[in-house]
Amino acid sequence: MKAKWSKASSTVYYTPAEAKALEPIRETVEKRAELPDLRELFLCHAWADRLDDATKLYDLLKARNVSVWFSEKDIPLGSSFLREIDRGLAKSRVGIVLVTPALLTRLPTGGIADRELSALLATDQLVPVIHNTTYDALRMVSPLLASRNGLSTEEDSLEVVADKLAELVKTSRF
C-alpha cells in the first residue's frame, strides 16, 4: 500500500504495519522540517560496519537525494567525536539505527553506538533497519529498540529500504 505521505507518482509501497509504525516518525519529520540546517537522517551504526554496510546504506540514501549525517563523512579531523555526534543528533529529523550482527555484539559493551541509541530511543525519531539479523536476535540485546517497528532487509532489499526511508523523510509532497 502507498503511505499517506507518498506522492501520487510514487512507486514505493509499504506493508500496512510499516505505514502504521512509521506514521509518528513522519509527523516528527513534518514538525521539524522548518528548523534550520537539518539533515534528513542520522545514521547510527556499529564501528565495524562503517566501511561496508553503513557506507552502502549511506551511498544508497545519498543517491536518493537524502541528506544523511554519517560519522565517516561528518566528523572533521581533530574535532571532538562525541560533541560532533551530539550536534548531528540535534540537527537531524530522523535517526536510523542499522542493526547488524556487529551492532548486536557492540551494544552490550557500551560505546558510541550505544550512546547514540540511548538518545534516539528518547524520541519519536527512530527507525531500526534490521540487516543480516532478526528482530528476535535484537530483542535479546535491546528489548527497547526491538519494540520499535522498523524496516528489514529480510523482507526488502537494502535498496528498497533506502527508497522507503527517502520517501519517509522528504517533506514536499509535490
Side-chain angles (χ1 to χ4, degrees), residues 149-165:
N149 289 325
L151 303 170
S152 173
T153 59
E154 189 173 63
E155 299 161 9
D156 292 316
S157 67
L158 203 53
E159 291 79 6
V160 171
V161 167
D163 288 338
K164 290 178 178 183
L165 289 167

Side-chain angles (χ1 to χ4, degrees), residues 1-7 10-23 26 127 150-151 155-156 160-170:
M1 73 179 271
K2 283 191 179 185
K4 66 182 182 179
W5 59 82
S6 299
K7 294 179 184 179
S10 175
T11 59
V12 177
Y13 291 90
Y14 301 81
T15 66
E18 287 173 341
K20 182 179 179 182
L22 295 173
E23 183 60 33
R26 177 57 191 194
V127 179
L151 303 170
E155 299 161 9
D156 292 316
V160 171
V161 167
D163 288 338
K164 290 178 178 183
L165 289 167
E167 186 171 86
L168 175 69
V169 298
K170 293 297 181 186

Side-chain angles (χ1 to χ4, degrees), residues 82-151:
L82 286 177
R83 187 63 195 120
E84 291 299 323
I85 288 169
D86 194 41
R87 286 184 185 116
L89 285 163
K91 292 185 173 189
S92 298
R93 288 186 190 140
V94 174
I96 56 174
V97 178
L98 183 61
V99 180
T100 63
L103 185 80
L104 296 179
T105 300
R106 266 321 266 158
L107 283 180
T109 65
I112 301 297
D114 186 55
R115 292 178 186 184
E116 293 170 353
L117 177 58
S118 293
L120 290 168
L121 279 168
T123 70
D124 277 332
Q125 296 173 255
L126 175 61
V127 179
V129 175
I130 311 301
H131 182 60
N132 294 331
T133 190
T134 64
Y135 265 100
D136 287 338
L138 175 57
R139 213 169 274 107
M140 299 299 289
V141 174
S142 178
L144 285 174
L145 181 56
S147 72
R148 302 282 181 110
N149 289 325
L151 303 170

